[in-house]
Amino acid sequence: MANYNNSNSNRILKASSDKLRVMSEIIDFTATTTANSGDTFDVIGIPANTLVLSAGVDVLVADTAGNSGTIAIGDSGDPDQYVNEVAPTATGQKDLLVAPEAYSSGDDIRLTIATGAINGKVRVWATMMSLDKDGTDVDGDSMTATFA
């Protein structure tokens, strides 16, 4: 099992952004000849205090390795938080799980090779936003609420 890290310095959502963002990265498995079952790819960085509404995978070039390889999209705590194991044998978006997650500490959107080798090309994406805008927002609402 190998762990691969993304070298793109722009793969992390800027913490000062309070707008909904879609981040994506393309992984070309033809360039990674040793990607096998159990290998993980940390694709998109998740800063602390970020809400990931959804994440998924779009198969751009279908797998032809014939090794019954499957991929899953998740994070360090749950390898299939967003997409269950799926064979990338046909192009297009793969079925998503409805599983938004709020991260109090940094993590990564992770692609895991679940079974067999892969030789296709995929785009991994995530829809997310910062929950604290780098701690600079001030609540200007002066209304007082009471609870009984």
Side-chain angles (χ1 to χ4, degrees):
M1 177 174 91
N3 298 316
Y4 297 89
N5 295 305
N6 190 334
S7 63
N8 183 354
S9 62
N10 291 320
R11 73 181 191 92
I12 299 176
L13 177 76
K14 304 302 182 234
S16 62
S17 175
D18 64 345
K19 295 180 176 39
L20 191 62
R21 301 278 188 222
V22 177
M23 306 285 290
S24 69
E25 288 288 337
I26 293 175
I27 302 174
D28 186 351
F29 289 107
T30 62
T32 308
T33 57
T34 59
N36 290 302
S37 179
D39 289 355
T40 61
F41 293 77
D42 289 343
V43 183
I44 300 170
I46 306 169
N49 301 318
T50 297
L51 175 64
V52 176
L53 295 171
S54 186
V57 63
D58 181 12
V59 177
L60 304 174
V61 176
D63 177 62
T64 60
N67 298 320
S68 68
T70 59
I71 57 178
I73 305 297
D75 57 27
S76 65
D78 184 352
D80 60 359
Q81 168 79 18
Y82 301 106
V83 176
N84 274 330
E85 294 177 13
V86 61
T89 55
T91 58
Q93 293 285 342
K94 299 305 167 192
D95 291 341
L96 306 174
L97 300 174
V98 181
E101 181 79 18
Y103 292 85
S104 59
S105 59
D107 205 334
D108 288 286
I109 298 295
R110 179 176 286 174
L111 180 144
T112 300
I113 307 292
T115 59
I118 302 286
N119 74 352
K121 186 176 183 179
V122 300
R123 176 185 300 118
V124 176
W125 58 268
T127 305
M128 53 188 168
M129 72 180 283
S130 174
L131 295 175
D132 66 1
K133 194 177 177 183
D134 203 22
T136 59
D137 276 352
V138 175
D139 184 359
D141 189 355
S142 60
M143 180 185 283
T144 303
T146 58
F147 300 90

